[in-house]
Structure formats: C-alpha cells, structure tokens
Coordinates of all heavy atoms in Angstrom, one line a residue:
S1 N -128.1 -14.8 -25.0 CA -127.9 -15.6 -26.2 C -126.8 -16.6 -25.9 O -126.0 -16.5 -24.9 CB -127.4 -14.7 -27.3 OG -126.1 -14.3 -27.2
E2 N -126.7 -17.7 -26.7 CA -125.7 -18.7 -26.5 C -124.3 -18.2 -26.7 O -123.4 -18.5 -26.0 CB -126.0 -19.9 -27.4 CG -125.0 -21.0 -27.2 CD -125.3 -22.2 -28.1 OE1 -126.5 -22.3 -28.7 OE2 -124.4 -23.0 -28.3
V3 N -124.2 -17.3 -27.7 CA -122.9 -16.7 -28.0 C -122.4 -15.9 -26.8 O -121.3 -16.0 -26.4 CB -123.0 -15.7 -29.2 CG1 -121.7 -14.9 -29.4 CG2 -123.2 -16.6 -30.5
E4 N -123.3 -15.1 -26.2 CA -123.0 -14.3 -25.0 C -122.6 -15.2 -23.8 O -121.6 -14.9 -23.1 CB -124.2 -13.5 -24.6 CG -123.9 -12.4 -23.5 CD -125.1 -11.5 -23.3 OE1 -126.2 -11.8 -23.7 OE2 -124.8 -10.5 -22.6
E5 N -123.3 -16.3 -23.6 CA -123.0 -17.2 -22.5 C -121.6 -17.9 -22.7 O -120.9 -18.2 -21.7 CB -124.1 -18.3 -22.4 CG -125.4 -17.8 -21.9 CD -126.5 -18.8 -21.9 OE1 -126.2 -20.0 -22.1 OE2 -127.7 -18.4 -21.9
L6 N -121.2 -18.2 -23.9 CA -119.9 -18.8 -24.2 C -118.7 -17.9 -24.1 O -117.6 -18.3 -24.0 CB -119.9 -19.5 -25.5 CG -120.9 -20.7 -25.6 CD1 -120.9 -21.2 -27.1 CD2 -120.5 -21.8 -24.7
A7 N -119.0 -16.6 -24.2 CA -117.9 -15.6 -24.2 C -117.4 -15.3 -22.8 O -118.2 -15.2 -21.9 CB -118.5 -14.3 -24.8
V8 N -116.1 -15.2 -22.7 CA -115.5 -14.8 -21.4 C -115.2 -13.3 -21.4 O -115.2 -12.7 -22.4 CB -114.2 -15.6 -21.1 CG1 -114.5 -17.1 -21.1 CG2 -113.1 -15.3 -22.2
S9 N -115.1 -12.8 -20.2 CA -114.7 -11.4 -20.1 C -113.3 -11.2 -20.7 O -112.5 -12.0 -20.5 CB -114.7 -10.9 -18.6 OG -114.1 -9.7 -18.5
I10 N -113.1 -10.1 -21.4 CA -111.8 -9.8 -21.9 C -110.8 -9.8 -20.8 O -109.6 -10.2 -21.0 CB -111.8 -8.4 -22.7 CG1 -110.5 -8.3 -23.5 CG2 -112.1 -7.2 -21.8 CD1 -110.5 -7.1 -24.5
Q11 N -111.2 -9.4 -19.6 CA -110.2 -9.4 -18.5 C -109.8 -10.8 -18.0 O -108.8 -11.0 -17.4 CB -110.8 -8.6 -17.3 CG -111.2 -7.2 -17.6 CD -110.0 -6.4 -18.1 OE1 -108.9 -6.6 -17.7 NE2 -110.3 -5.4 -19.0
D12 N -110.6 -11.8 -18.4 CA -110.3 -13.2 -18.0 C -109.5 -13.9 -19.0 O -109.1 -15.1 -18.7 CB -111.6 -13.9 -17.7 CG -112.3 -13.4 -16.5 OD1 -111.7 -12.8 -15.6 OD2 -113.6 -13.6 -16.4
L13 N -109.2 -13.3 -20.1 CA -108.4 -14.0 -21.1 C -106.9 -14.0 -20.6 O -106.5 -13.1 -19.9 CB -108.4 -13.2 -22.5 CG -109.7 -13.2 -23.3 CD1 -109.6 -12.3 -24.4 CD2 -110.1 -14.6 -23.7
P14 N -106.2 -15.0 -21.0 CA -104.8 -15.0 -20.7 C -104.1 -13.8 -21.3 O -104.5 -13.3 -22.3 CB -104.2 -16.3 -21.3 CG -105.4 -17.1 -21.5 CD -106.6 -16.2 -21.7
Q15 N -103.1 -13.3 -20.6 CA -102.4 -12.1 -21.1 C -101.9 -12.2 -22.5 O -102.0 -11.2 -23.3 CB -101.2 -11.8 -20.1 CG -100.5 -10.5 -20.4 CD -101.4 -9.3 -20.1 OE1 -102.0 -9.2 -19.0 NE2 -101.5 -8.3 -21.0
V16 N -101.4 -13.3 -22.9 CA -101.0 -13.5 -24.3 C -102.1 -13.3 -25.3 O -101.9 -12.7 -26.4 CB -100.2 -14.9 -24.5 CG1 -101.2 -16.0 -24.3 CG2 -99.5 -14.9 -25.8
Q17 N -103.3 -13.7 -24.9 CA -104.5 -13.5 -25.8 C -104.9 -12.0 -25.8 O -105.2 -11.5 -26.9 CB -105.6 -14.4 -25.4 CG -105.5 -15.8 -25.9 CD -106.7 -16.6 -25.6 OE1 -107.0 -17.0 -24.5 NE2 -107.5 -16.8 -26.7
R18 N -104.9 -11.4 -24.6 CA -105.3 -10.0 -24.6 C -104.3 -9.2 -25.4 O -104.7 -8.2 -26.1 CB -105.3 -9.5 -23.1 CG -106.5 -9.9 -22.4 CD -106.8 -9.1 -21.2 NE -105.7 -8.8 -20.3 CZ -105.3 -9.6 -19.3 NH1 -106.0 -10.7 -19.0 NH2 -104.3 -9.2 -18.6
D19 N -103.0 -9.5 -25.3 CA -102.0 -8.8 -26.1 C -102.2 -8.9 -27.6 O -101.7 -8.0 -28.3 CB -100.6 -9.2 -25.7 CG -100.2 -8.7 -24.3 OD1 -100.9 -7.9 -23.7 OD2 -99.2 -9.3 -23.7
A20 N -102.8 -10.0 -28.0 CA -103.0 -10.2 -29.4 C -104.1 -9.4 -30.0 O -104.3 -9.3 -31.2 CB -103.1 -11.7 -29.7
I21 N -105.0 -8.9 -29.1 CA -106.1 -8.1 -29.6 C -105.7 -6.7 -29.8 O -105.0 -6.1 -29.0 CB -107.2 -8.1 -28.5 CG1 -107.7 -9.6 -28.2 CG2 -108.4 -7.2 -28.9 CD1 -108.6 -9.7 -27.0
P22 N -106.0 -6.1 -30.9 CA -105.6 -4.8 -31.2 C -106.2 -3.8 -30.2 O -107.2 -4.1 -29.6 CB -106.1 -4.5 -32.6 CG -107.2 -5.4 -32.8 CD -106.9 -6.7 -32.0
E23 N -105.5 -2.6 -30.1 CA -106.1 -1.6 -29.2 C -107.5 -1.2 -29.8 O -107.6 -1.0 -31.0 CB -105.2 -0.4 -29.1 CG -104.0 -0.8 -28.3 CD -103.2 0.4 -27.8 OE1 -103.2 1.5 -28.4 OE2 -102.5 0.2 -26.8
L24 N -108.5 -1.1 -29.0 CA -109.8 -0.7 -29.4 C -110.3 0.5 -28.6 O -110.4 0.4 -27.4 CB -110.8 -1.9 -29.2 CG -110.5 -3.2 -29.9 CD1 -111.4 -4.3 -29.4 CD2 -110.6 -3.0 -31.4
Y25 N -110.5 1.6 -29.3 CA -111.1 2.8 -28.7 C -112.6 2.8 -29.0 O -113.0 2.9 -30.2 CB -110.3 4.0 -29.2 CG -108.9 4.0 -28.8 CD1 -107.9 3.4 -29.6 CD2 -108.5 4.4 -27.5 CE1 -106.6 3.4 -29.2 CE2 -107.1 4.3 -27.1 CZ -106.2 3.8 -28.0 OH -104.9 3.7 -27.6
Y26 N -113.4 2.7 -28.0 CA -114.8 2.5 -28.1 C -115.5 3.9 -28.0 O -115.6 4.5 -27.0 CB -115.2 1.7 -26.9 CG -116.4 0.7 -27.1 CD1 -116.3 -0.6 -26.6 CD2 -117.5 1.1 -27.7 CE1 -117.4 -1.4 -26.7 CE2 -118.6 0.2 -27.8 CZ -118.5 -1.0 -27.3 OH -119.5 -1.9 -27.5
Q27 N -116.0 4.4 -29.2 CA -116.5 5.7 -29.3 C -118.1 5.8 -29.2 O -118.6 6.8 -28.7 CB -116.1 6.4 -30.5 CG -114.6 6.7 -30.4 CD -113.8 6.3 -31.6 OE1 -114.1 5.3 -32.3 NE2 -112.8 7.0 -31.9
S28 N -118.8 4.7 -29.6 CA -120.2 4.7 -29.5 C -120.7 3.3 -29.4 O -120.1 2.4 -29.9 CB -120.9 5.5 -30.6 OG -120.9 4.8 -31.8
H29 N -121.9 3.2 -28.8 CA -122.5 1.9 -28.6 C -124.0 2.1 -28.8 O -124.7 2.8 -28.0 CB -122.2 1.3 -27.2 CG -122.8 0.0 -27.0 ND1 -122.0 -1.2 -27.2 CD2 -124.0 -0.5 -26.5 CE1 -122.8 -2.2 -26.8 NE2 -124.0 -1.8 -26.5
V30 N -124.6 1.5 -29.8 CA -126.0 1.6 -30.1 C -126.7 0.2 -30.1 O -126.4 -0.6 -30.9 CB -126.3 2.3 -31.4 CG1 -127.8 2.4 -31.7 CG2 -125.7 3.7 -31.5
Y31 N -127.5 0.0 -29.1 CA -128.2 -1.3 -29.0 C -129.7 -1.0 -29.3 O -130.3 0.0 -28.8 CB -128.1 -1.9 -27.6 CG -129.0 -3.2 -27.5 CD1 -128.5 -4.4 -28.1 CD2 -130.2 -3.2 -27.0 CE1 -129.3 -5.5 -28.1 CE2 -131.0 -4.3 -27.0 CZ -130.5 -5.5 -27.5 OH -131.3 -6.6 -27.5
S32 N -130.3 -1.9 -30.0 CA -131.8 -1.7 -30.4 C -132.3 -3.1 -30.5 O -131.6 -4.1 -30.9 CB -131.9 -0.9 -31.7 OG -133.3 -1.0 -32.1
T33 N -133.6 -3.3 -30.2 CA -134.3 -4.6 -30.5 C -134.3 -4.8 -32.0 O -134.4 -5.9 -32.5 CB -135.7 -4.6 -29.9 OG1 -136.4 -3.5 -30.4 CG2 -135.6 -4.6 -28.4
D34 N -134.2 -3.7 -32.8 CA -134.1 -3.8 -34.3 C -132.6 -4.1 -34.6 O -131.8 -3.2 -34.5 CB -134.6 -2.5 -34.9 CG -134.5 -2.5 -36.4 OD1 -134.0 -3.5 -37.0 OD2 -135.0 -1.5 -37.0
L35 N -132.3 -5.3 -35.1 CA -131.0 -5.7 -35.5 C -130.3 -4.7 -36.4 O -129.1 -4.4 -36.3 CB -130.9 -7.0 -36.2 CG -131.1 -8.3 -35.3 CD1 -131.3 -9.5 -36.1 CD2 -130.0 -8.4 -34.3
A36 N -131.0 -4.1 -37.3 CA -130.4 -3.2 -38.3 C -130.0 -1.9 -37.7 O -129.1 -1.2 -38.3 CB -131.5 -2.9 -39.4
R37 N -130.4 -1.6 -36.5 CA -130.0 -0.3 -35.9 C -128.9 -0.5 -34.9 O -128.3 0.5 -34.4 CB -131.2 0.3 -35.1 CG -132.3 0.7 -36.0 CD -133.5 1.2 -35.2 NE -134.5 1.8 -36.1 CZ -134.8 3.1 -36.1 NH1 -134.2 3.9 -35.3 NH2 -135.7 3.5 -36.9
R38 N -128.5 -1.7 -34.6 CA -127.3 -1.9 -33.7 C -126.0 -1.6 -34.4 O -125.8 -1.9 -35.5 CB -127.3 -3.4 -33.3 CG -128.5 -3.8 -32.5 CD -128.3 -5.3 -32.1 NE -129.6 -5.8 -31.5 CZ -129.8 -7.0 -31.2 NH1 -128.8 -7.9 -31.2 NH2 -131.0 -7.4 -30.7
S39 N -125.2 -0.9 -33.7 CA -123.8 -0.6 -34.2 C -122.9 -0.2 -33.0 O -123.4 0.2 -32.0 CB -123.9 0.6 -35.2 OG -124.2 1.8 -34.6
V40 N -121.6 -0.3 -33.3 CA -120.6 0.2 -32.4 C -119.6 1.0 -33.2 O -119.4 0.7 -34.4 CB -119.9 -0.9 -31.6 CG1 -120.9 -1.6 -30.6 CG2 -119.2 -1.9 -32.4
K41 N -119.0 1.9 -32.6 CA -117.9 2.7 -33.3 C -116.6 2.4 -32.5 O -116.5 2.7 -31.4 CB -118.2 4.2 -33.4 CG -117.2 4.9 -34.3 CD -117.7 6.4 -34.4 CE -116.8 7.1 -35.4 NZ -117.2 8.5 -35.5
L42 N -115.7 1.8 -33.2 CA -114.4 1.4 -32.7 C -113.3 2.0 -33.6 O -113.3 1.8 -34.8 CB -114.2 -0.1 -32.6 CG -115.3 -0.9 -31.7 CD1 -115.1 -2.3 -32.0 CD2 -115.1 -0.6 -30.3
N43 N -112.4 2.7 -33.0 CA -111.2 3.3 -33.7 C -111.7 4.1 -35.0 O -111.2 3.9 -36.1 CB -110.3 2.2 -34.2 CG -109.7 1.4 -33.0 OD1 -109.8 1.8 -31.9 ND2 -109.1 0.3 -33.3
D44 N -112.8 4.9 -34.7 CA -113.3 5.8 -35.8 C -114.0 5.0 -36.9 O -114.3 5.6 -38.0 CB -112.2 6.7 -36.3 CG -111.7 7.7 -35.3 OD1 -112.5 8.2 -34.5 OD2 -110.5 7.9 -35.3
V45 N -114.3 3.8 -36.7 CA -115.1 3.0 -37.8 C -116.3 2.4 -37.2 O -116.3 1.9 -36.1 CB -114.2 1.9 -38.4 CG1 -115.0 1.1 -39.4 CG2 -112.9 2.4 -38.9
T46 N -117.4 2.5 -37.9 CA -118.7 2.0 -37.4 C -118.9 0.5 -37.9 O -118.6 0.2 -39.1 CB -119.9 2.8 -37.9 OG1 -119.7 4.2 -37.4 CG2 -121.2 2.3 -37.5
Y47 N -119.2 -0.3 -37.0 CA -119.3 -1.8 -37.2 C -120.7 -2.2 -36.8 O -121.3 -1.7 -35.9 CB -118.3 -2.6 -36.5 CG -116.9 -2.3 -36.8 CD1 -116.1 -1.5 -36.0 CD2 -116.3 -2.9 -37.9 CE1 -114.8 -1.2 -36.3 CE2 -115.0 -2.6 -38.3 CZ -114.2 -1.8 -37.5 OH -112.9 -1.5 -37.8
R48 N -121.2 -3.3 -37.5 CA -122.5 -3.9 -37.2 C -122.2 -5.4 -36.9 O -121.1 -5.9 -37.2 CB -123.4 -3.8 -38.4 CG -123.7 -2.3 -38.7 CD -125.0 -2.2 -39.6 NE -125.2 -0.8 -39.9 CZ -125.6 0.2 -39.1 NH1 -125.9 -0.1 -37.9 NH2 -125.8 1.4 -39.5
E49 N -123.2 -6.1 -36.3 CA -123.0 -7.5 -36.0 C -122.5 -8.3 -37.2 O -123.1 -8.1 -38.3 CB -124.3 -8.0 -35.4 CG -124.6 -7.5 -34.1 CD -125.8 -8.1 -33.4 OE1 -126.6 -8.7 -34.2 OE2 -126.0 -8.0 -32.2
G50 N -121.5 -9.1 -37.0 CA -121.0 -9.9 -38.1 C -119.8 -9.3 -38.8 O -119.1 -10.0 -39.6
D51 N -119.6 -8.0 -38.6 CA -118.5 -7.3 -39.3 C -117.1 -7.8 -38.8 O -117.0 -8.2 -37.6 CB -118.5 -5.8 -39.2 CG -119.6 -5.2 -40.0 OD1 -120.2 -5.9 -40.9 OD2 -119.9 -4.0 -39.8
W52 N -116.1 -7.8 -39.6 CA -114.7 -8.1 -39.3 C -114.0 -6.8 -39.0 O -114.0 -5.9 -39.8 CB -114.0 -8.9 -40.4 CG -114.6 -10.2 -40.5 CD1 -115.7 -10.6 -41.3 CD2 -114.2 -11.4 -39.8 NE1 -115.9 -12.0 -41.1 CE2 -115.0 -12.5 -40.2 CE3 -113.1 -11.7 -38.9 CZ2 -114.8 -13.8 -39.8 CZ3 -113.0 -13.0 -38.5 CH2 -113.8 -14.0 -38.9
I53 N -113.4 -6.7 -37.8 CA -112.6 -5.5 -37.4 C -111.2 -5.6 -38.0 O -110.6 -4.7 -38.4 CB -112.6 -5.4 -35.9 CG1 -114.1 -5.2 -35.4 CG2 -111.7 -4.3 -35.4 CD1 -114.3 -5.4 -34.0
E54 N -110.7 -6.8 -37.9 CA -109.4 -7.2 -38.5 C -109.6 -8.6 -39.1 O -110.6 -9.3 -38.8 CB -108.3 -7.2 -37.4 CG -107.9 -5.8 -37.0 CD -106.5 -5.8 -36.3 OE1 -106.0 -6.9 -35.9 OE2 -105.9 -4.8 -36.3
P55 N -108.6 -9.1 -39.9 CA -108.8 -10.5 -40.4 C -109.1 -11.6 -39.4 O -109.7 -12.6 -39.8 CB -107.5 -10.7 -41.2 CG -107.0 -9.3 -41.5 CD -107.4 -8.5 -40.4
N56 N -108.7 -11.4 -38.2 CA -108.8 -12.4 -37.2 C -109.7 -12.0 -36.0 O -109.7 -12.6 -35.0 CB -107.5 -12.9 -36.6 CG -107.6 -14.2 -35.9 OD1 -108.3 -15.1 -36.2 ND2 -106.7 -14.4 -34.9
L57 N -110.4 -10.8 -36.2 CA -111.3 -10.3 -35.1 C -112.6 -9.9 -35.6 O -112.7 -9.0 -36.5 CB -110.6 -9.1 -34.5 CG -111.3 -8.5 -33.3 CD1 -111.3 -9.4 -32.1 CD2 -110.5 -7.2 -32.8
Q58 N -113.7 -10.6 -35.1 CA -115.0 -10.3 -35.6 C -115.9 -9.9 -34.5 O -115.9 -10.3 -33.4 CB -115.6 -11.6 -36.2 CG -116.9 -11.5 -36.9 CD -117.5 -12.8 -37.5 OE1 -117.1 -13.9 -37.0 NE2 -118.3 -12.7 -38.4
L59 N -116.8 -8.9 -34.9 CA -117.9 -8.5 -34.0 C -119.0 -9.4 -34.1 O -119.7 -9.4 -35.2 CB -118.3 -7.0 -34.3 CG -119.5 -6.5 -33.5 CD1 -119.2 -6.4 -32.0 CD2 -119.8 -5.1 -34.0
L60 N -119.3 -10.2 -33.1 CA -120.4 -11.2 -33.2 C -121.7 -10.7 -32.9 O -122.7 -10.8 -33.6 CB -120.1 -12.4 -32.3 CG -118.8 -13.3 -32.6 CD1 -118.7 -14.4 -31.5 CD2 -118.9 -13.8 -34.0
E61 N -121.8 -10.0 -31.7 CA -123.1 -9.5 -31.2 C -122.9 -8.2 -30.5 O -121.9 -8.0 -29.9 CB -123.8 -10.5 -30.2 CG -124.3 -11.7 -30.9 CD -125.1 -12.5 -29.9 OE1 -125.3 -12.1 -28.7 OE2 -125.6 -13.6 -30.2
I62 N -123.9 -7.4 -30.6 CA -124.0 -6.1 -29.8 C -125.2 -6.3 -28.8 O -126.3 -6.6 -29.2 CB -124.3 -4.9 -30.7 CG1 -123.1 -4.7 -31.7 CG2 -124.5 -3.6 -29.8 CD1 -123.4 -3.7 -32.8
R63 N -124.8 -6.3 -27.5 CA -125.8 -6.5 -26.5 C -126.1 -5.2 -25.8 O -125.4 -4.2 -26.1 CB -125.2 -7.6 -25.5 CG -124.8 -8.9 -26.1 CD -125.9 -9.6 -26.8 NE -127.0 -9.9 -26.0 CZ -128.3 -10.0 -26.4 NH1 -128.6 -9.9 -27.6 NH2 -129.2 -10.3 -25.5
P64 N -127.0 -5.1 -24.9 CA -127.4 -3.8 -24.3 C -126.2 -3.1 -23.6 O -126.0 -1.9 -23.7 CB -128.4 -4.2 -23.3 CG -129.1 -5.4 -23.8 CD -128.0 -6.2 -24.5
R65 N -125.3 -3.9 -22.9 CA -124.2 -3.3 -22.2 C -122.8 -3.7 -22.5 O -121.8 -3.5 -21.8 CB -124.4 -3.4 -20.7 CG -125.6 -2.6 -20.2 CD -125.8 -2.7 -18.7 NE -126.4 -3.9 -18.2 CZ -127.7 -4.2 -18.3 NH1 -128.5 -3.3 -18.8 NH2 -128.2 -5.3 -17.9
Q66 N -122.7 -4.5 -23.6 CA -121.4 -5.0 -24.0 C -121.5 -5.5 -25.5 O -122.6 -5.6 -26.1 CB -121.0 -6.2 -23.1 CG -122.0 -7.4 -23.2 CD -121.7 -8.4 -22.1 OE1 -120.8 -8.2 -21.3 NE2 -122.5 -9.4 -22.0
S67 N -120.3 -5.7 -26.0 CA -120.2 -6.3 -27.4 C -119.5 -7.6 -27.2 O -118.6 -7.8 -26.3 CB -119.3 -5.4 -28.3 OG -120.1 -4.3 -28.6
I68 N -119.9 -8.6 -28.1 CA -119.2 -9.9 -28.1 C -118.4 -10.0 -29.3 O -118.9 -9.8 -30.4 CB -120.3 -11.0 -28.1 CG1 -121.4 -10.8 -27.0 CG2 -119.6 -12.4 -27.9 CD1 -120.9 -10.8 -25.6
L69 N -117.1 -10.2 -29.1 CA -116.2 -10.3 -30.2 C -115.5 -11.7 -30.2 O -115.6 -12.4 -29.2 CB -115.1 -9.2 -30.1 CG -115.6 -7.8 -30.2 CD1 -115.7 -7.2 -28.8 CD2 -114.7 -7.0 -31.0
R70 N -114.9 -12.1 -31.4 CA -114.2 -13.4 -31.4 C -112.9 -13.2 -32.1 O -112.8 -12.5 -33.2 CB -115.1 -14.4 -32.2 CG -114.3 -15.7 -32.3 CD -115.2 -16.8 -32.9 NE -115.6 -16.5 -34.2 CZ -116.8 -16.8 -34.7 NH1 -117.7 -17.5 -34.0 NH2 -117.1 -16.4 -36.0
Q71 N -111.9 -13.7 -31.5 CA -110.6 -13.7 -32.1 C -110.2 -15.2 -32.2 O -110.1 -15.9 -31.2 CB -109.5 -13.0 -31.2 CG -108.2 -12.9 -31.9 CD -107.2 -12.1 -31.1 OE1 -107.1 -12.3 -29.9 NE2 -106.5 -11.2 -31.7
G72 N -110.0 -15.6 -33.5 CA -109.7 -17.1 -33.7 C -111.0 -17.8 -33.2 O -112.1 -17.5 -33.7
R73 N -110.8 -18.8 -32.3 CA -112.0 -19.5 -31.8 C -112.5 -19.0 -30.5 O -113.4 -19.5 -30.0 CB -111.6 -21.0 -31.7 CG -111.3 -21.6 -33.1 CD -111.2 -23.1 -33.2 NE -110.8 -23.7 -31.9 CZ -109.9 -24.7 -31.9 NH1 -109.3 -25.2 -33.0 NH2 -109.6 -25.2 -30.7
Q74 N -111.8 -18.0 -29.9 CA -112.1 -17.5 -28.6 C -113.1 -16.3 -28.7 O -112.7 -15.3 -29.2 CB -110.9 -17.2 -27.8 CG -111.1 -16.6 -26.4 CD -111.8 -17.6 -25.5 OE1 -111.2 -18.6 -25.2 NE2 -113.0 -17.3 -25.0
S75 N -114.2 -16.4 -28.1 CA -115.1 -15.3 -28.0 C -115.0 -14.6 -26.7 O -114.7 -15.3 -25.7 CB -116.6 -15.7 -28.3 OG -117.0 -16.7 -27.4
F76 N -115.1 -13.3 -26.6 CA -115.0 -12.6 -25.4 C -115.9 -11.3 -25.4 O -116.4 -10.9 -26.4 CB -113.5 -12.1 -25.2 CG -113.0 -11.2 -26.2 CD1 -113.1 -9.8 -26.1 CD2 -112.4 -11.7 -27.4 CE1 -112.5 -9.0 -27.1 CE2 -111.9 -10.9 -28.4 CZ -112.0 -9.5 -28.2
R77 N -116.2 -10.9 -24.2 CA -117.1 -9.7 -23.9 C -116.2 -8.5 -23.7 O -115.3 -8.5 -22.9 CB -118.0 -10.0 -22.7 CG -118.8 -11.2 -22.9 CD -119.8 -11.3 -21.7 NE -119.2 -11.3 -20.4 CZ -118.8 -12.4 -19.8 NH1 -118.9 -13.6 -20.3 NH2 -118.2 -12.3 -18.6
L78 N -116.6 -7.4 -24.4 CA -116.0 -6.1 -24.2 C -117.1 -5.2 -23.7 O -118.1 -4.9 -24.4 CB -115.4 -5.6 -25.5 CG -114.7 -4.2 -25.4 CD1 -113.4 -4.3 -24.5 CD2 -114.3 -3.7 -26.8
P79 N -117.0 -4.6 -22.4 CA -118.0 -3.8 -21.9 C -118.2 -2.5 -22.8 O -117.2 -2.0 -23.3 CB -117.5 -3.4 -20.5 CG -116.5 -4.4 -20.1 CD -115.9 -4.9 -21.4
A80 N -119.4 -2.1 -22.9 CA -119.7 -0.9 -23.8 C -118.9 0.3 -23.3 O -118.8 0.6 -22.1 CB -121.2 -0.6 -23.7
L81 N -118.4 1.0 -24.3 CA -117.7 2.2 -24.1 C -116.4 2.1 -23.3 O -115.9 3.1 -22.8 CB -118.6 3.3 -23.6 CG -119.8 3.6 -24.4 CD1 -120.8 4.6 -23.8 CD2 -119.4 4.0 -25.8
E82 N -115.9 0.9 -23.1 CA -114.6 0.7 -22.4 C -113.5 0.4 -23.4 O -113.7 -0.6 -24.2 CB -114.7 -0.4 -21.3 CG -115.4 0.0 -20.1 CD -115.3 -1.0 -19.0 OE1 -114.3 -1.8 -19.0 OE2 -116.1 -1.0 -18.1
D83 N -112.5 1.2 -23.5 CA -111.4 1.0 -24.4 C -110.6 -0.3 -24.0 O -110.5 -0.6 -22.8 CB -110.5 2.2 -24.5 CG -111.1 3.4 -25.0 OD1 -112.2 3.3 -25.6 OD2 -110.6 4.5 -24.7
H84 N -110.0 -0.9 -25.0 CA -109.0 -2.0 -24.7 C -107.7 -1.4 -25.2 O -107.4 -1.3 -26.4 CB -109.4 -3.3 -25.5 CG -108.2 -4.2 -25.5 ND1 -107.8 -4.9 -24.4 CD2 -107.4 -4.6 -26.5 CE1 -106.8 -5.7 -24.7 NE2 -106.5 -5.5 -26.0
V85 N -106.9 -1.0 -24.2 CA -105.6 -0.5 -24.5 C -104.5 -1.4 -23.9 O -104.7 -1.9 -22.7 CB -105.5 0.9 -23.8 CG1 -104.1 1.5 -24.2 CG2 -106.6 1.8 -24.4
K86 N -103.5 -1.7 -24.7 CA -102.5 -2.6 -24.2 C -101.7 -2.0 -23.0 O -101.4 -0.8 -23.0 CB -101.6 -3.0 -25.4 CG -102.3 -3.7 -26.4 CD -101.4 -4.2 -27.6 CE -102.3 -4.8 -28.6 NZ -101.5 -5.5 -29.6
A87 N -101.4 -2.9 -22.1 CA -100.6 -2.5 -20.9 C -99.2 -2.1 -21.4 O -98.6 -2.8 -22.2 CB -100.6 -3.6 -19.9
V88 N -98.7 -1.1 -20.8 CA -97.3 -0.7 -21.1 C -96.4 -1.4 -20.1 O -96.6 -1.5 -18.9 CB -97.1 0.9 -20.9 CG1 -95.7 1.2 -21.1 CG2 -98.1 1.6 -21.8
N89 N -95.4 -2.1 -20.7 CA -94.5 -2.9 -19.9 C -93.4 -2.1 -19.3 O -92.9 -1.2 -19.9 CB -93.9 -4.1 -20.8 CG -94.9 -5.1 -21.2 OD1 -95.9 -5.2 -20.5 ND2 -94.7 -5.7 -22.3

C-alpha cells in the first residue's frame, strides 16, 4: 500500500522521535484479507485499523508481518509481535 511504502522502520527514526513513542507491548497480531477481522493487541488493548492508541499515535494499517503507525506526520513500521521498549540510559 502507499501508506506502507511511505512508512519508515521504527529503527530508522531519529532517537528523539523513537523516545516520544510510548512503550508498546505487542501481544497479538491478526491479519486477514477481511478488514473487519484485522486487529492487534498492544498494552492489553485491542486495536483495529484507524484507531488512536494515544492522542498523537494512530494505528493506520495492519499488514501481514507488521503494523503501520503514525505519530504526528511521521508514519513508521512496527514488526509484528516486537515490543517497542525505551532504551535505558
């Protein structure tokens, strides 16, 4: 999809942007050709495409092996079932 092509890997975001993303614990990932069946579970909450995880963080798309999220104007890819945990300084 065009959204997927425009999204960068979460690992390629500048550190300041990665730090602004809340910790995400990825518990389940369901991809289906049926849009209504797609869902991910992050931090014990089930989300569907278009849902807002936080006021500035939206789940755009659920793809077979990753989710596409957007924070502000920056979209990024989060691999399926990989947590985003902030680095300890």
